[in-house]
Amino acid sequence: MKILIMGFGKIKFMPYMNFYLENIDKNKNDVHLLYWNRDLQEEETSHLQGVTLHEFKCYQEDDVSKFSKIKSFLKYRKFALSLLKKESFDFLYILHSLTGFVVYGYVKKHFKEKYVFDYRDSTYEALPPFKKIVEGLVNGSVVTFVSSDAFRVFLPEGQKEKIITSHNILMDSLNHRNDKDLYGTCSDKIRVAFWGFIRHEEINLQLIKQFGADNRFELHYYGREQQIAENLKVYVKENNISNVFFHGEYKPEDRYEFIKTTDLIHNIYYDDNTLLAMGNKYYDGIIFKIPQLCTQGSFMGELCEKNGIGMSCDVYSNTFTQDVYEYYQSIDKDKFNLDCQQELERVLNEYNKGCELIKVI
């Protein structure tokens, strides 16, 4: 069978594609991958042996308005449709609702019940045409994977049987589960760390103000830096804040080093989509056994408190840093590690069910 995995970003920023790649038999199938090189920097592809790559190159900043991206989206659509028509694929994996949105007409006509749909972003759900197309994508799929159970409210009620929960877990991380316990370093500061694409300026500015004024803490940022990160760095410099640090972009395996110097994970976001989403750092927290800070009222925050693996908090509270300090000091390490283990087992059970399903499609 000739299979195309359709991505909407750079390879290194789509770790969730590994969930599919690792469970498709490349010896029995001709596997292709479409990805979008948005920063025009060369990709590392040596780990994709046995996969035919199709690169769409078009510069596009991520942290800009939705409407400013339309021109680039149309270029991607033209490239993707040309590839679909030229290569005569038998089956598709459509990663991200935007991918499905731009090629929906062709997919609806030629690939009914010949694709898997991966839903992981509700950003555009307020647009009625988008919502209608998402419903069509779910209805026409063999199976739809959803990255957060909170996103199910956007999906067709009558299709529950074909909607399966997936998890953004990097399996190689399990090989490093005890690295922090074995090799971690101590500090007289509580080291809070964020890793990923640095965005959400307002909430991060507030965190910098809060932690920057409390010398019991350090705040570390690891990840892609565009204009928002530059703005935050300027604020830190202009205000002579000495306990906030920016370390730049990293490779996934670099996490195994900086978790050794991390005491709390900054998993705080604030917009309509991320309040419902499940981020990679949630899984890193339960794998590496590091407590995490989440936004009060968010889906991840509810899970953290329910499962005993973190704290949901209000970064605008006058007692924010004191609340975090008291939470950290109150952690019973043995109980916390057991709670992480129980949540990891639940996640892996659902993850493995999804893997088995892909293998028999």
Side-chain angles (χ1 to χ4, degrees):
M1 188 159 60
K2 191 172 184 178
I3 297 172
L4 175 63
I5 300 173
M6 304 183 69
F8 208 67
K10 293 199 69 161
I11 290 170
K12 66 179 177 179
F13 301 138
M14 296 191 297
Y16 46 87
M17 74 177 179
N18 293 312
F19 174 63
Y20 302 101
L21 277 171
E22 290 170 1
N23 291 289
I24 298 171
D25 190 336
K26 299 181 189 66
N27 294 318
K28 295 181 179 179
N29 299 286
D30 179 13
V31 182
H32 295 240
L33 171 66
L34 166 62
Y35 65 99
W36 182 347
N37 185 342
R38 296 189 179 207
D39 60 9
L40 307 184
Q41 300 298 311
E42 187 175 347
E43 287 267 36
E44 170 56 51
T45 61
S46 60
H47 61 294
L48 294 171
Q49 298 297 319
V51 178
T52 301
L53 303 178
H54 303 274
E55 180 186 45
F56 171 63
K57 296 184 73 170
C58 176
Y59 183 77
Q60 175 61 65
E61 281 192 277
D62 292 307
D63 212 12
V64 294
S65 72
K66 300 177 182 69
F67 293 105
S68 68
K69 299 177 182 179
I70 291 176
K71 187 175 180 180
S72 296
F73 286 1
L74 291 174
K75 289 180 179 179
Y76 175 91
R77 178 178 185 273
K78 182 178 179 181
F79 185 92
L81 288 176
S82 175
L83 179 63
L84 287 170
K85 293 172 183 177
K86 176 184 175 183
E87 294 288 344
S88 300
F89 295 102
D90 302 303
F91 198 87
L92 306 177
Y93 285 82
I94 300 173
L95 310 188
H96 206 290
S97 46
L98 280 171
T99 314
F101 181 81
V102 298
V103 297
Y104 177 63
Y106 190 86
V107 167
K108 181 181 179 181
K109 182 177 180 180
H110 298 282
F111 286 92
K112 185 177 181 181
E113 297 187 347
K114 294 181 180 178
Y115 65 89
V116 167
F117 177 41
D118 182 292
Y119 183 95
R120 57 184 54 252
D121 188 344
S122 65
T123 301
Y124 295 86
E125 287 293 344
L127 303 173
F130 190 88
K131 182 176 177 60
K132 186 174 181 179
I133 286 178
V134 165
E135 290 179 356
L137 286 164
V138 175
N139 292 334
S141 69
V142 173
V143 62
T144 291
F145 284 95
V146 61
S147 64
S148 170
D149 283 333
F151 285 153
R152 288 174 178 265
V153 297
F154 301 113
L155 304 180
E157 181 72 19
Q159 298 288 358
K160 285 183 178 180
E161 295 300 316
K162 69 161 61 174
I163 300 172
I164 309 296
T165 303
S166 67
H167 293 285
N168 301 333
I169 189 167
L170 298 178
M171 300 306 287
D172 181 65
S173 300
L174 297 173
N175 298 322
H176 298 267
R177 189 158 192 233
N178 296 316
D179 283 10
K180 180 170 171 57
D181 290 336
L182 295 172
Y183 312 115
T185 60
C186 296
S187 171
D188 59 345
K189 309 286 187 182
I190 299 174
R191 297 159 297 183
V192 183
F194 172 93
W195 50 90
F197 178 33
I198 302 171
R199 49 200 178 103
H200 298 137
E201 183 170 359
E202 180 183 337
I203 203 79
N204 277 295
L205 183 60
Q206 180 65 16
L207 280 163
I208 288 170
K209 289 178 180 178
Q210 293 271 30
F211 285 127
D214 192 328
N215 62 14
R216 294 175 296 181
F217 296 90
E218 289 180 354
L219 178 57
H220 295 261
Y221 286 92
Y222 303 86
R224 277 192 292 162
E225 299 178 0
Q226 292 186 359
Q227 190 57 54
I228 284 178
E230 294 303 320
N231 295 345
L232 296 173
K233 289 163 77 172
V234 168
Y235 180 86
V236 167
K237 183 177 181 180
E238 289 182 346
N239 289 274
N240 298 312
I241 297 174
S242 60
N243 63 340
V244 177
F245 308 91
F246 292 83
H247 301 277
E249 193 167 329
Y250 65 92
K251 297 177 182 177
E253 59 270 23
D254 293 338
R255 293 171 305 132
Y256 307 142
E257 289 303 315
F258 55 70
I259 61 165
K260 298 173 187 176
T261 57
T262 297
D263 302 308
L264 287 169
I265 296 175
H266 161 3
N267 202 9
I268 296 172
Y269 300 88
Y270 198 86
D271 65 27
D272 291 341
N273 180 63
T274 52
L275 286 176
L276 301 175
M278 290 292 295
N280 295 340
K281 290 192 295 298
Y282 179 87
Y283 302 104
D284 286 340
I286 60 176
I287 291 172
F288 303 130
K289 294 169 284 187
I290 306 174
Q292 52 193 287
L293 306 177
C294 295
T295 309
Q296 194 172 73
S298 68
F299 184 59
M300 283 192 290
E302 292 173 5
L303 286 179
C304 276
E305 297 210 329
K306 174 186 174 182
N307 297 310
I309 57 171
M311 171 189 179
S312 64
C313 46
D314 176 8
V315 301
Y316 293 96
S317 169
N318 291 332
T319 61
F320 169 71
T321 58
Q322 183 61 26
D323 293 342
V324 173
Y325 181 83
E326 291 176 2
Y327 163 72
Y328 184 75
Q329 296 298 329
S330 71
I331 294 172
D332 179 327
K333 186 175 180 181
D334 290 336
K335 182 180 184 305
F336 175 80
N337 288 348
L338 178 60
D339 289 339
C340 285
Q341 179 63 31
Q342 290 176 340
E343 176 62 354
L344 179 60
E345 288 175 1
R346 181 191 72 82
V347 165
L348 288 176
N349 184 50
E350 290 189 339
Y351 181 92
N352 289 330
K353 286 180 180 178
C355 292
E356 292 304 314
L357 183 58
I358 293 171
K359 289 174 183 176
V360 299
I361 289 177

